[in-house]
Amino acid sequence: MPEPLTLTRADDPRLHDYVSLTDVELRRRREPAEGLFIAEGEKVVRRALQAGYRMRSMLLTPKWADAMADVITAATAPVYVVSPELAEQVTGYHVHRGALASMERRPLPAPARLLDGARRVAVMEAVNDHTNIGAIFRSAAALGMDAVLLSPSCADPLYRRSVKVSMGAVFSVPYARLDAWPQGLDTVRAAGFEVLALTPDGGAEPLGEVASVRAGARVALLLGAEGDGLTQRAQRAADRRVRIPMAAGVDSLNVAAAAAVAFYAVASGSPG
Amino acid sequence: MPEPLTLTRADDPRLHDYVSLTDVELRRRREPAEGLFIAEGEKVVRRALQAGYRMRSMLLTPKWADAMADVITAATAPVYVVSPELAEQVTGYHVHRGALASMERRPLPAPARLLDGARRVAVMEAVNDHTNIGAIFRSAAALGMDAVLLSPSCADPLYRRSVKVSMGAVFSVPYARLDAWPQGLDTVRAAGFEVLALTPDGGAEPLGEVASVRAGARVALLLGAEGDGLTQRAQRAADRRVRIPMAAGVDSLNVAAAAAVAFYAVASGSPG
C-alpha cells in the first residue's frame, strides 16, 4: 500500500494527468494519445478497477480519503491528496465528487473477436456526443446487448462525461472500433448478423415485425447520430431499414431514447 | 405589426421577463407566479405560437430579426432587438440561439378532462429534473402517449430547459397536475385506467406480458424519479407492479430511457 501523498502545488508534474479536465478539445487529444482515461467519483473508480483497468494514480480531497480507504490500501499506484481548492485549480472545475483516478487504457479487441459469441450488437455511426454515447452504453448494459461497435467518427466511450453518464457501463459492455466505414459492416455480416439500419422513415419495416428480430436471430442494430441520422451510405450497406413506429408529425426520438427502445425490441423478440 | 424596438439598457423594465434566466431557483418561483414561460430558439418559439400560446414579448439579437421576420409581422406583442452583449448581460448567458420569447401560461386542464378520451397516459411522481421531464415529453409525443399527469413535486414542463429538451413536445402533449398524491390516482382509476407502477424489482410482472397492455386496454404508466424510483405509497396505490426485463447485476435504466421503452411497450401491445 502506498502512503497517500499530500500535494500542494498546481504545477506539480505528478498532477499532469488531471490538468484542465474541462477543456474538451485538449482532453480528447491527450487522453487517447497518452493512453489514459479519467474515472470520476467513488462508484465509477471502483467499477473501473473491478473491470480490471490498471490505475496510474488517484487524486482525492481529504474528506474522501476515508470512503476510499480500502481502495487506497489495495492500490499499487500513487495516491495524491489535495485541497478542494487545488483540485479545482488543476482540473478547472469544482470536483464535488471528490475522487478522481487516472486509469490506463487497454487495446480494443478486434471486431471479429467481439462478434464471436455475441447475439445482439449495436453499431453506432458518428455518435459524437459524449452524453449520448454514455446513455447508450448504460441502456445497452441494462437491456442485455452483447457488444457495441463504433464507426471511426464516434466519440470516445472512455471520455469522463461518457463514463459518468454510462454509470460505468462502458467498462462492462465490450466494444470495438470499425476502421473502415461503412465497409466494416461486412465483418459484421460475415459473422452471421443481419444488419438493421434504424431510421424514422415511414417506409422502413416496424422493428417488432422483422423476422430476424422475432426469431431471436443474430442482429446488429445500426444507429445514427442525433440530427442527421444514418448516412445514406450506411443505410445502403445494411441488410434492412427498420423503424420504431411513431406518431405522425412528430420529430423523431432522441438517439438515446431510440437506442433504448430498439434494444428492448430486439431483446423482447428473442426466445430467451 | 409592431415596429421592433431597439433597447440598449440592461435595467430597462421592458426586459424584466428575461432577467437572470440562468438562476434556476429564481426562475422556478417567478415564472409560475407571474404566469409566464420562456421559449428559446426559432423552432421552439414557432411551436409555442402554433400551439396557441399568447406572446408577451420577444427578444432578438439583430441577426435573428430576418429569420423571424414573419413572426414579427404576425406579432401582436412588442418585439425588442438587443445586442448579443446586452442579451447576455440581461439573461446571464450567451444566447446563441438568438431568439427568446416570453409567453403567457394557460390554466392547466382538470385531470379528469384530460383522461376523457385518452387511452395511454404517463403519470410521473417527483421527476424533478428539467432535462428528464423534457426528454420524457419528447418520447411521449413520438410514441403516441395521449396525456401526462404530474405529481405535485414534479418539475415544471414549461421551464426553459424542459421546453428545449422536449423539442416543444410540452406544447403538444396535454398534461395536468394531480393535487393530492397518491390519492389522485383514484381519479385515474375511476376513468377506467389500470394503473401500472414501473419498478426495476425482479418480482414485478414483465411489462410486455401484462394482460391490459397486450389487450391495448386503457393503461396509466406510473414512473418515479431517477435514483429513488417510485415511493412505496405510490406503488401501493397502483393496480400492478410492472418491470422492463433487465440484465442481471446492472443498474436500472435512466428514467428517460425507461419511459421511452415503457411507452413503446404499451404502444406495441395495443391493437391499433
Side-chain angles (χ1 to χ4, degrees), chain B residues 189-269:
Chain B
R189 200 176 290 105
F193 288 81
E194 183 166 62
V195 180
L196 309 177
L198 198 67
T199 162
D201 184 344
E205 287 175 81
L207 187 50
E209 295 172 15
V210 175
S212 57
V213 171
R214 296 177 70 96
R218 296 180 115 183
V219 291
L221 270 173
L222 189 48
L223 302 162
E226 184 87 29
D228 298 336
L230 285 172
T231 59
Q232 290 299 321
R233 290 173 66 216
Q235 291 187 46
R236 279 194 302 267
D239 295 310
R240 287 167 191 277
R241 294 165 74 249
V242 299
R243 68 183 166 92
I244 295 165
M246 275 188 242
V250 171
D251 279 322
S252 62
L253 288 165
N254 155 297
V255 63
V261 168
F263 297 164
Y264 172 78
V266 299
S268 326

Side-chain angles (χ1 to χ4, degrees), chain B residues 37 48-49 52-56 76-77 102-106:
Chain B
F37 71 91
L49 290 167
Y53 285 97
R54 207 181 71 80
M55 188 183 275
R56 287 159 65 106
T76 52
S102 174
M103 311 294 297
E104 202 138 286
R105 287 179 187 247
R106 291 189 295 219

Side-chain angles (χ1 to χ4, degrees), chain A residues 188-207:
Chain A
V188 182
R189 199 175 291 105
F193 287 81
E194 183 166 64
V195 180
L196 310 177
L198 197 69
T199 161
D201 184 344
E205 287 174 81
L207 187 49

